Amino acid sequence: MIVTRFAPSPTGLLHLGHAYSALAAHEAASKAGGRFLLRIEDIDPGRCKPEFSLALMEDLRWLGLTWEEPVRFQSQHMADYTAALGRLQAMGLVYPCFCTRSEIQALAAPQENDVEGPVYPGACRHLAETARAALAADRPCVWRLDMARACAQAGDLVWHDARRGEVRADPARFGDVVLARKDVPTSYHLSVVVDDAQQGVSLVTRGEDLFAATDVHRLLQALLSLPTPRYRHHTLMRDASGRRYAKRDKALTLRALRQAGKTPQDVRSMVGFDPLPGRSGTPPTTSVA
Ligand code: GLU
């Protein structure tokens, strides 16, 4: 049975691009008689707000989507991520890194591939225990994956994308990615892998901006002995000038469209989806906060 999910981060209001992604995942589940889950990726306390979580659920319901309860909030599952990190620590595949952002920027070589941001140059990778202890006394640390060791341990890996077929994973180009941050004991990569496994997700539906990151996820699945879902990375919706929709496009949030009188049917057809079966297209009666 297909189990898929929509996993937004509550850092703003949902826009048309999110509507497309949520509808695509929902449709993949409903066409196959599968299950559709909602996961709120709210590990970042500085950027995620409970009011955006509430708003996004209301907007999705307005759009006509339903999902299985309970919704998984990542902020409530830190112990799961800590346990996964602990396994990698016990395997000797992660290390604490005390470098500041500016130290990394200064040392990192420019990137010539599809990886965003600087690749960590490795200063803390081989610190002696005494040096680590001295730094830990007055500097916070992140935990990084020792990518070379991890790749050597995992061997060749592949994963499957619905549009592109079999993909050979090349996580090494990401370098020693952060698995636990200074402010939160996890990272996007670690929590998404743990959650997809814990929720029994068999099909990850998400935008192709995350296509490259799947190589890292595949590696973490191998290291943590977790099952590998299948993936469907969909193209991203763009505006008339070819720009990706983003949270800054306030006029194209579902909230703004709804306040401007658009119906759920209008929004569904704006992103290329058929009307909901059995729905007339009349505006919802619920009031907008
Ligand atoms: N939380 C991510 C986002 O809002 C999506 C993560 C995923 O689908 O794996 O972009």
Side-chain angles (χ1 to χ4, degrees):
M1 173 185 292
I2 281 191
V3 182
T4 191
R5 69 346 181 246
F6 177 54
S9 304
T11 57
L13 292 170
L14 297 186
H15 53 67
L16 280 178
H18 293 113
Y20 177 79
S21 197
L23 285 162
H26 190 266
E27 189 180 85
S30 58
K31 276 193 172 159
R35 296 166 54 206
F36 175 66
L37 311 177
L38 175 65
R39 182 166 78 226
I40 308 285
E41 301 213 324
D42 59 347
I43 59 168
D44 188 335
R47 296 176 62 231
C48 298
K49 304 234 173 334
E51 54 268 36
F52 288 133
S53 298
L54 291 174
L56 75 84
M57 288 192 269
E58 192 189 317
D59 288 348
L60 293 173
R61 273 191 211 104
W62 174 78
L63 204 53
L65 299 187
T66 50
W67 51 85
E68 279 183 24
E69 298 288 347
V71 173
R72 184 172 171 104
F73 287 78
Q74 289 190 325
S75 57
Q76 294 169 8
H77 293 275
M78 292 298 171
D80 296 337
Y81 314 133
T82 301
L85 183 70
R87 289 184 59 194
L88 297 169
Q89 284 166 332
M91 293 159 81
L93 294 176
V94 291
Y95 62 88
C97 167
F98 304 92
C99 295
T100 62
R101 201 175 288 248
S102 51
E103 284 166 347
I104 295 170
Q105 292 282 1
L107 289 171
Q111 277 282 91
E112 282 173 14
N113 56 30
D114 56 352
V115 175
E116 275 176 35
V119 164
Y120 181 60
C124 290
R125 190 183 305 127
H126 300 299
L127 285 179
E129 274 312 317
T130 46
R132 275 188 185 151
L135 283 163
D138 58 10
R139 277 206 194 200
C141 70
V142 302
W143 284 86
R144 290 184 180 275
L145 185 66
D146 184 332
M147 185 58 84
R149 287 183 80 161
C151 287
Q153 170 143 345
D156 290 343
L157 297 169
V158 292
W159 52 274
H160 186 272
D161 181 74
R163 292 169 57 232
R164 304 208 205 166
E166 189 174 272
V167 180
R168 192 160 291 281
D170 174 25
R173 70 194 190 287
F174 284 80
D176 294 355
V177 289
V178 171
L179 295 186
R181 296 170 16 176
K182 285 179 184 163
D183 55 342
V184 266
T186 186
S187 66
Y188 164 63
H189 294 310
L190 185 62
S191 41
V192 83
V193 163
V194 169
D195 285 355
D196 282 335
Q198 289 210 353
Q199 294 190 286
V201 169
S202 64
L203 174 69
V204 171
T205 313
R206 61 185 176 199
E208 66 183 359
D209 52 330
L210 292 167
F211 187 90
T214 305
D215 287 357
V216 176
H217 302 173
R218 179 68 189 89
L219 174 62
L220 292 174
Q221 287 153 6
L223 298 173
L224 293 165
S225 306
L226 300 175
T228 300
R230 290 168 84 83
Y231 289 83
R232 180 176 168 247
H233 292 94
H234 58 72
T235 49
L236 299 174
M237 296 220 52
R238 294 182 189 275
D239 64 16
S241 61
R243 270 189 342 159
R244 276 167 51 180
Y245 291 127
K247 287 181 175 146
R248 62 176 178 271
D249 298 320
K250 300 271 183 283
L252 295 175
T253 62
L254 301 191
R255 202 48 70 109
L257 291 164
R258 177 177 169 184
Q259 280 163 353
K262 298 282 186 216
T263 66
Q265 311 295 3
D266 294 334
V267 171
R268 292 173 71 101
S269 56
M270 282 167 88
V271 295
F273 277 80
D274 294 336
L276 280 170
R279 286 258 191 137
S280 65
T282 45
T285 47
T286 44
S287 62
V288 182

